Structures are given as structure tokens and as C-alpha cells.
Amino acid sequence: MTTFVLATHNEKKRTELLAVLQPHLGADTEVRSAGELGLGDVAETGTTFAENALIKARAAAAATGLPAIADDSGICVDVLGGAPGIFSARWAGRHGDDRANLELLLAQLSDIADEHRGAQFRCAAAAVTVDGRELTAEGVMPGRLARTPVGEHGFGYDPIFVPEGSTRSAAQLTPEEKNARSHRRLAFDALARLLADHGGGLG
């Protein structure tokens, strides 16, 4: 049995990440989340998604002695110079208040014309192995921001993000549709390839 730690306390993200990771997991692989294991929150003091993902993975690996993987992700809006970026989860001032974050972003863009509402979801995935190797990979899902939230799936900014080539928000896509093209899928697919190239894997 291979066990690794998924360094997240967000249950919605945990569900999404497990679906994204599933193709890379062996039959004898056990995934435990930081929340399940009672690990404390870690201060995300990095200045990039990759730095924050590594901070979380390092902390989980150090606390458990197990290999760990983590991600850091957010929405990057063109007219805001890439913000909220790494501050996406606390854009309105309190970490994890999805509704407040979304409403503040919509208010800030209220006067921005539709053709200038380009944005990207970005994700950095990181792995820290028991022998101390550290790997990171990134994924991007381009799109644009709608003016009103719509859809019941997903979390965070999904209700106002319309992926490139779609007429539906990320929150209107089924989990399978979103996971097939998401920034997290791209990042973790790339991370799995890096681990395989370095003689390891996720299971």
C-alpha cells in the first residue's frame, strides 16, 4: 500500500483533486488529506502559486513522513494585471469567503466592457517525496468573466468564469466536463509525468 498526503483542508477542492488524480493512482494507493489527518493550516507566504504549493507540500511531508502533493491556484484577470492571483481565496479580506470574493471582483469589473474581461484560472501542483525531491508543474485554463454568477457546480469563482470555447460558466459544467480541461487537471497531469520521469509516481 502506497500512502500520500494531499495537502488541503478544503473538502470541495479535495473532491475535485481526487477526481483529477484518479487516472494516475494505482489500485493500492491510499490518499489522505491534511484535513483528515488533523494537520494545521500553513501560512502561504510565497509570492507565486508554485511557491505556495511547495510550502504546503513540504509542511505535510514534514508532519507525516509521507510523500505529499499540494496545489495553489487562483484566478488572474487581465485588466487587473493578473490579480487577484495568489490572493484569490482572500480577495475580500477573509480567507475562503467565496461569495464575498466573487462579489468584490464583479464590483471591481462592473464598468469593464465584455471584450476586456479576459481571465485565466492558474494552478501550480507540487510534490515532495520522502527522499526530499521537490517537483512543480503548472496548468492554465483561459476564459473570460461573466457579469452575473450562474451554475451550481464547483466552487470559488467558477460561477462567473466562462472557459474559452464555452458558453457556460465553469459552475454549469458537470464535474467530469470541468475536470477534463481544468487548470488543475493540466497541472497534475504534468506533475505525474515529471514524477514518472524521475522514477516515481503517485501510486
Side-chain angles (χ1 to χ4, degrees):
M1 175 71 73
T2 301
T3 302
F4 69 88
V5 182
L6 184 59
T8 184
H9 293 80
N10 183 323
E11 283 304 304
K12 289 183 178 179
K13 180 184 280 193
R14 174 182 176 274
T15 298
E16 187 170 299
L17 287 177
L18 286 175
V20 165
L21 288 166
Q22 197 58 49
H24 305 294
L25 302 180
D28 61 345
T29 303
E30 180 183 33
V31 182
R32 305 293 301 278
S33 73
E36 282 181 88
L37 296 173
L39 304 183
D41 285 320
V42 179
E44 297 176 27
T45 56
T47 59
T48 66
F49 291 124
E51 287 177 4
N52 282 333
L54 270 174
I55 286 169
K56 289 184 276 191
R58 286 173 186 146
T64 63
L66 297 169
I69 62 173
D71 89 305
D72 194 45
S73 56
I75 195 164
C76 302
V77 181
D78 295 350
V79 297
L80 296 180
I86 61 170
F87 303 108
S88 293
R90 52 190 183 275
W91 191 234
R94 187 163 65 89
H95 193 282
D97 191 339
D98 286 356
R99 184 178 183 85
N101 290 333
L102 184 153
E103 289 179 349
L104 176 59
L105 186 59
L106 282 180
Q108 291 169 325
L109 299 176
S110 61
D111 295 330
I112 301 300
D114 290 347
E115 61 267 30
H116 300 306
R117 297 174 72 88
Q120 305 84 39
F121 269 136
R122 292 184 173 271
C123 174
V128 174
T129 66
V130 290
D131 58 1
R133 286 178 297 143
E134 298 182 346
L135 299 168
T136 63
E138 300 196 15
V140 178
M141 182 165 63
R144 60 183 176 82
L145 294 179
R147 293 188 174 277
T148 56
V150 61
E152 302 298 325
H153 300 297
F155 59 97
Y157 298 91
D158 284 351
I160 60 169
F161 183 81
V162 181
E164 190 174 83
S166 177
T167 59
R168 295 179 292 161
S169 77
Q172 289 177 293
L173 302 177
T174 66
E176 293 76 18
E177 287 174 321
K178 180 187 174 186
N179 292 339
R181 62 187 300 183
S182 76
H183 50 309
R184 292 190 182 93
R185 163 54 58 83
L186 295 171
F188 278 98
D189 281 356
L191 183 67
R193 290 192 295 270
L194 283 175
L195 284 165
D197 290 345
H198 285 75
L202 295 177

PDB file of all heavy atoms in Angstrom, residues 82-96:
ATOM      1  N   GLY A  82      -3.288  40.609 -13.612  1.00  0.00           N
ATOM      2  CA  GLY A  82      -3.087  39.261 -13.087  1.00  0.00           C
ATOM      3  C   GLY A  82      -3.667  39.042 -11.700  1.00  0.00           C
ATOM      4  O   GLY A  82      -3.626  37.923 -11.173  1.00  0.00           O
ATOM      5  N   ALA A  83      -4.179  40.076 -11.070  1.00  0.00           N
ATOM      6  CA  ALA A  83      -4.855  39.917  -9.769  1.00  0.00           C
ATOM      7  C   ALA A  83      -6.254  39.317 -10.020  1.00  0.00           C
ATOM      8  O   ALA A  83      -6.767  39.402 -11.134  1.00  0.00           O
ATOM      9  CB  ALA A  83      -4.973  41.272  -9.083  1.00  0.00           C
ATOM     10  N   PRO A  84      -6.850  38.714  -8.989  1.00  0.00           N
ATOM     11  CA  PRO A  84      -6.370  38.501  -7.617  1.00  0.00           C
ATOM     12  C   PRO A  84      -5.156  37.556  -7.487  1.00  0.00           C
ATOM     13  O   PRO A  84      -4.427  37.613  -6.508  1.00  0.00           O
ATOM     14  CB  PRO A  84      -7.584  37.885  -6.919  1.00  0.00           C
ATOM     15  CG  PRO A  84      -8.753  38.256  -7.736  1.00  0.00           C
ATOM     16  CD  PRO A  84      -8.254  38.308  -9.139  1.00  0.00           C
ATOM     17  N   GLY A  85      -4.941  36.646  -8.457  1.00  0.00           N
ATOM     18  CA  GLY A  85      -3.772  35.784  -8.408  1.00  0.00           C
ATOM     19  C   GLY A  85      -3.678  34.985  -7.122  1.00  0.00           C
ATOM     20  O   GLY A  85      -4.636  34.336  -6.718  1.00  0.00           O
ATOM     21  N   ILE A  86      -2.521  35.072  -6.464  1.00  0.00           N
ATOM     22  CA  ILE A  86      -2.312  34.272  -5.249  1.00  0.00           C
ATOM     23  C   ILE A  86      -3.203  34.721  -4.100  1.00  0.00           C
ATOM     24  O   ILE A  86      -3.314  34.021  -3.091  1.00  0.00           O
ATOM     25  CB  ILE A  86      -0.836  34.292  -4.795  1.00  0.00           C
ATOM     26  CG1 ILE A  86      -0.389  35.721  -4.460  1.00  0.00           C
ATOM     27  CG2 ILE A  86       0.068  33.661  -5.843  1.00  0.00           C
ATOM     28  CD1 ILE A  86       0.974  35.790  -3.775  1.00  0.00           C
ATOM     29  N   PHE A  87      -3.859  35.870  -4.255  1.00  0.00           N
ATOM     30  CA  PHE A  87      -4.762  36.360  -3.205  1.00  0.00           C
ATOM     31  C   PHE A  87      -6.217  35.996  -3.492  1.00  0.00           C
ATOM     32  O   PHE A  87      -7.125  36.495  -2.812  1.00  0.00           O
ATOM     33  CB  PHE A  87      -4.629  37.875  -3.071  1.00  0.00           C
ATOM     34  CG  PHE A  87      -3.226  38.335  -2.773  1.00  0.00           C
ATOM     35  CD1 PHE A  87      -2.477  38.971  -3.748  1.00  0.00           C
ATOM     36  CD2 PHE A  87      -2.645  38.095  -1.537  1.00  0.00           C
ATOM     37  CE1 PHE A  87      -1.178  39.378  -3.482  1.00  0.00           C
ATOM     38  CE2 PHE A  87      -1.345  38.497  -1.273  1.00  0.00           C
ATOM     39  CZ  PHE A  87      -0.606  39.140  -2.251  1.00  0.00           C
ATOM     40  N   SER A  88      -6.462  35.119  -4.445  1.00  0.00           N
ATOM     41  CA  SER A  88      -7.826  34.807  -4.874  1.00  0.00           C
ATOM     42  C   SER A  88      -8.719  34.342  -3.729  1.00  0.00           C
ATOM     43  O   SER A  88      -9.886  34.730  -3.637  1.00  0.00           O
ATOM     44  CB  SER A  88      -7.802  33.742  -5.973  1.00  0.00           C
ATOM     45  OG  SER A  88      -7.210  34.245  -7.154  1.00  0.00           O
ATOM     46  N   ALA A  89      -8.194  33.493  -2.847  1.00  0.00           N
ATOM     47  CA  ALA A  89      -9.022  32.912  -1.780  1.00  0.00           C
ATOM     48  C   ALA A  89      -9.329  33.912  -0.668  1.00  0.00           C
ATOM     49  O   ALA A  89     -10.205  33.663   0.161  1.00  0.00           O
ATOM     50  CB  ALA A  89      -8.343  31.679  -1.183  1.00  0.00           C
ATOM     51  N   ARG A  90      -8.619  35.033  -0.646  1.00  0.00           N
ATOM     52  CA  ARG A  90      -8.849  36.029   0.411  1.00  0.00           C
ATOM     53  C   ARG A  90      -8.963  37.437  -0.181  1.00  0.00           C
ATOM     54  O   ARG A  90      -8.627  38.426   0.471  1.00  0.00           O
ATOM     55  CB  ARG A  90      -7.730  35.961   1.460  1.00  0.00           C
ATOM     56  CG  ARG A  90      -6.311  36.035   0.912  1.00  0.00           C
ATOM     57  CD  ARG A  90      -5.307  35.710   2.017  1.00  0.00           C
ATOM     58  NE  ARG A  90      -3.918  35.834   1.602  1.00  0.00           N
ATOM     59  CZ  ARG A  90      -3.243  34.862   0.981  1.00  0.00           C
ATOM     60  NH1 ARG A  90      -3.845  33.724   0.681  1.00  0.00           N
ATOM     61  NH2 ARG A  90      -1.978  35.036   0.658  1.00  0.00           N
ATOM     62  N   TRP A  91      -9.467  37.537  -1.390  1.00  0.00           N
ATOM     63  CA  TRP A  91      -9.540  38.818  -2.092  1.00  0.00           C
ATOM     64  C   TRP A  91     -10.401  39.820  -1.334  1.00  0.00           C
ATOM     65  O   TRP A  91     -10.116  41.016  -1.315  1.00  0.00           O
ATOM     66  CB  TRP A  91     -10.088  38.584  -3.494  1.00  0.00           C
ATOM     67  CG  TRP A  91      -9.990  39.762  -4.431  1.00  0.00           C
ATOM     68  CD1 TRP A  91     -11.002  40.346  -5.138  1.00  0.00           C
ATOM     69  CD2 TRP A  91      -8.800  40.467  -4.811  1.00  0.00           C
ATOM     70  NE1 TRP A  91     -10.526  41.373  -5.921  1.00  0.00           N
ATOM     71  CE2 TRP A  91      -9.168  41.466  -5.726  1.00  0.00           C
ATOM     72  CE3 TRP A  91      -7.448  40.355  -4.446  1.00  0.00           C
ATOM     73  CZ2 TRP A  91      -8.251  42.348  -6.302  1.00  0.00           C
ATOM     74  CZ3 TRP A  91      -6.529  41.236  -5.016  1.00  0.00           C
ATOM     75  CH2 TRP A  91      -6.934  42.213  -5.926  1.00  0.00           C
ATOM     76  N   ALA A  92     -11.460  39.363  -0.700  1.00  0.00           N
ATOM     77  CA  ALA A  92     -12.350  40.264   0.038  1.00  0.00           C
ATOM     78  C   ALA A  92     -11.905  40.468   1.485  1.00  0.00           C
ATOM     79  O   ALA A  92     -12.579  41.161   2.251  1.00  0.00           O
ATOM     80  CB  ALA A  92     -13.781  39.747   0.002  1.00  0.00           C
ATOM     81  N   GLY A  93     -10.796  39.859   1.880  1.00  0.00           N
ATOM     82  CA  GLY A  93     -10.245  40.110   3.208  1.00  0.00           C
ATOM     83  C   GLY A  93     -10.282  38.948   4.170  1.00  0.00           C
ATOM     84  O   GLY A  93      -9.547  38.935   5.155  1.00  0.00           O
ATOM     85  N   ARG A  94     -11.161  37.958   3.907  1.00  0.00           N
ATOM     86  CA  ARG A  94     -11.240  36.809   4.811  1.00  0.00           C
ATOM     87  C   ARG A  94     -11.066  35.542   3.997  1.00  0.00           C
ATOM     88  O   ARG A  94     -11.766  35.332   3.021  1.00  0.00           O
ATOM     89  CB  ARG A  94     -12.586  36.792   5.540  1.00  0.00           C
ATOM     90  CG  ARG A  94     -12.674  35.727   6.620  1.00  0.00           C
ATOM     91  CD  ARG A  94     -13.829  36.045   7.565  1.00  0.00           C
ATOM     92  NE  ARG A  94     -15.124  35.977   6.894  1.00  0.00           N
ATOM     93  CZ  ARG A  94     -15.848  34.855   6.798  1.00  0.00           C
ATOM     94  NH1 ARG A  94     -15.400  33.717   7.314  1.00  0.00           N
ATOM     95  NH2 ARG A  94     -17.021  34.873   6.203  1.00  0.00           N
ATOM     96  N   HIS A  95     -10.144  34.680   4.386  1.00  0.00           N
ATOM     97  CA  HIS A  95      -9.801  33.507   3.603  1.00  0.00           C
ATOM     98  C   HIS A  95     -10.998  32.578   3.434  1.00  0.00           C
ATOM     99  O   HIS A  95     -11.673  32.233   4.391  1.00  0.00           O
ATOM    100  CB  HIS A  95      -8.655  32.737   4.271  1.00  0.00           C
ATOM    101  CG  HIS A  95      -8.025  31.710   3.394  1.00  0.00           C
ATOM    102  ND1 HIS A  95      -8.604  30.485   3.165  1.00  0.00           N
ATOM    103  CD2 HIS A  95      -6.891  31.733   2.657  1.00  0.00           C
ATOM    104  CE1 HIS A  95      -7.845  29.787   2.342  1.00  0.00           C
ATOM    105  NE2 HIS A  95      -6.797  30.520   2.017  1.00  0.00           N
ATOM    106  N   GLY A  96     -11.258  32.178   2.173  1.00  0.00           N
ATOM    107  CA  GLY A  96     -12.263  31.168   1.906  1.00  0.00           C
ATOM    108  C   GLY A  96     -13.692  31.657   1.820  1.00  0.00           C
ATOM    109  O   GLY A  96     -14.607  30.832   1.713  1.00  0.00           O
TER     110      GLY A  96
END
